[in-house]
Amino acid sequence: MVSGARSGRQGWRYRANVAARVVAGSVGAYGVAALFAAALARTLPMSRVEAVSLATLLAFLVAPAAAVWAFLAPGPWRAWAGMLGAALLFGAIAWFAGPPA
């Protein structure tokens, strides 16, 4: 039967793997994009309005890239590690850049 052959693939481990990647690709990508925008807006040498606008527009490119990474990573733990690493990097840049001018 076809359903018997597919039951091993659609067991709880496969579903947990997909669920972890979906959460990493949505919540993680949102966090990475938000921190990217904050870090870039604080480091760009232009007026505040222009820096925030440009950083937000570029964050719209970072979010899908992070979501794609969540599904291209070799495993869900590496997907989460990549999201966490990028979030820590952008968060540290935003933190050390200081308050917005």
Side-chain angles (χ1 to χ4, degrees), residues 11-90:
W12 70 271
R13 287 187 180 187
Y14 175 77
R15 292 180 186 192
N17 185 349
V18 172
R21 289 173 187 265
V22 167
V23 173
S26 57
V27 176
Y30 176 79
V32 167
L35 289 169
F36 173 81
L40 192 62
R42 290 184 178 197
T43 57
L44 285 175
M46 54 182 67
S47 70
R48 180 186 271 185
V49 173
E50 292 174 350
V52 169
S53 298
L54 180 62
T56 303
L57 287 173
L58 291 176
F60 281 117
L61 299 175
V62 171
V68 168
W69 160 253
F71 287 95
L72 288 179
W77 290 108
R78 287 198 183 173
W80 275 107
M83 295 294 172
L84 185 61
L88 288 174
L89 174 70
F90 294 137

